[in-house]
Amino acid sequence: MKKKEKSLTMTHHLLLAQFSHRLLIPIEEIAENYLGMAVATARRKANAYALPFPTIRIGDNQRSPMMVHIDDLVRYIDKQKKEAEMLWMEFQVA
């Protein structure tokens, strides 16, 4: 049985280009632009599992950087876009 190929969205392509084709992005690089919060706040929320997506550490100690998988960031952005479009549509006059 053939495996279904996953096609990348425009969001995937743009984020891959922006982050030099890295799959794991340090929380420091997305905190302000994508989450609208300071790096320290993003780290604190990541430690409390309070961000809208999971974060991981590569390594077993607290000094390992907090990372976000690009797929999780893409899903978050696309979800935010869809919700904004739905809200916008509610306010459009037919």
Side-chain angles (χ1 to χ4, degrees):
M1 179 183 268
K2 276 191 175 183
K3 205 175 192 183
K4 196 174 184 181
E5 281 191 42
K6 181 180 175 185
S7 61
L8 297 180
T9 65
M10 181 60 72
T11 309
H12 262 105
H13 288 290
L14 293 173
L15 288 178
L16 283 168
Q18 178 180 355
F19 294 111
S20 303
H21 296 276
R22 292 177 289 159
L23 292 179
L24 296 174
I25 312 302
I27 195 82
E28 294 82 4
E29 293 184 33
I30 65 166
E32 291 181 5
N33 288 337
Y34 290 99
L35 298 173
M37 62 183 73
V39 172
T41 303
R43 283 187 192 131
R44 191 170 52 255
K45 286 187 173 212
N47 283 326
Y49 305 100
L51 288 176
F53 42 73
T55 57
I56 60 171
R57 289 186 191 272
I58 304 298
D60 290 336
N61 69 41
Q62 290 294 94
R63 291 186 176 201
S64 298
M66 295 289 253
M67 310 290 272
V68 176
H69 195 282
I70 199 160
D71 289 346
D72 296 322
L73 183 57
V74 167
R75 275 192 293 276
Y76 169 71
I77 291 169
D78 288 346
K79 180 181 176 227
Q80 293 295 102
K81 177 186 178 289
K82 186 175 183 175
E83 288 174 2
E85 285 175 341
M86 288 171 44
L87 184 61
W88 179 82
M89 287 299 290
E90 289 178 19
F91 287 95
Q92 299 309 302
V93 179

